[in-house]
Amino acid sequence: MDGYGGRRTKAERDAATVEVGYALVSAGFAAAVVFGAVGGPALLFDLPDLLSALLLRSGLALAAVVGVARVVSVLVRFRRGAQPSQPGRTSPDS
């Protein structure tokens, strides 16, 4: 981008689209893993109703928090330009 308010090139728009897609897919995966770890036992085992409800609600709440945090962290990292300076080369600190 040529500064603030400038037009983006097609490559920059494509990179942003790919990054948003990656953020959403990885957030969905992370949220599913957290929900499975926390709420999974309530679905697999015959637990008391109160404990089952508590695990399911906790799993849903934690999954939502993890999902949002993952999307935000990926997009903030992309916005800061944590990309290699030249295509095909890695950063020195990687």
Side-chain angles (χ1 to χ4, degrees):
M1 203 158 85
D2 294 322
Y4 293 106
R7 289 188 169 255
R8 293 183 179 173
T9 65
K10 179 155 176 38
E12 289 172 333
R13 289 192 312 265
D14 289 346
T17 301
V18 168
E19 200 67 21
V20 168
Y22 169 72
L24 292 174
V25 169
S26 66
F29 180 75
V33 168
V34 168
F35 177 76
V38 177
L43 299 173
L44 292 175
F45 303 114
D46 188 25
L47 300 173
D49 290 338
L50 180 62
L51 181 59
S52 179
L54 178 67
L55 286 174
L56 287 174
R57 288 184 182 154
S58 298
L60 283 173
L62 284 173
V65 169
V66 166
V68 169
R70 178 66 183 160
V71 168
V72 168
S73 70
V74 168
L75 294 180
V76 165
R77 184 186 52 178
F78 175 71
R79 181 75 173 154
R80 287 187 185 156
Q83 302 289 324
S85 59
Q86 296 179 346
R89 297 191 179 185
T90 59
S91 298
D93 58 348
S94 63

